[in-house]
Amino acid sequence: QLTLVESGGGLVQPGGSLRLSCAASGFSLDYYAIGWFRQAPGKEREGISCVSTTGVGTSYADSVKGRFTISRDIAKNAVYLQMDNLKPEDTGTYSCGLHSEGKKICLPNYEHTMDFWGKGTVVTVSS
């Protein structure tokens, strides 16, 4: 069974940091651009960052630019999201996703076209 598994979520105070991981089971992430998504309570899922297969091409939503960093480790078949200076509005369920047809770059509309996601990990930013 092919799955994406996210980990690293938790409860953190405002200003704190977390590192989320996205791992693949049953296939290699090498051939896919990977996106990170966030769904806040009562809101729709939004794309917040994306990384190409080479790791060179990255994109960020304005709401996280300068605070979040996306990266990938080919040897570990994983993609990470380093989240610094967290704010209460960063609270939500974070999931990683990809295009099942195998896009290698981050398309401008990736948040609407990626069609395979993990179940997510919950991040709560609160004092």
Side-chain angles (χ1 to χ4, degrees), residues 7-22:
S7 61
L11 173 64
V12 63
Q13 292 186 341
S17 297
L18 284 174
R19 189 177 82 151
L20 306 184
S21 299
C22 171

Side-chain angles (χ1 to χ4, degrees), residues 22-30 72-80:
C22 171
S25 177
F27 68 104
S28 172
L29 292 178
D30 292 1
R72 64 192 308 155
D73 187 328
I74 295 174
K76 295 185 177 179
N77 199 27
V79 173
Y80 305 103

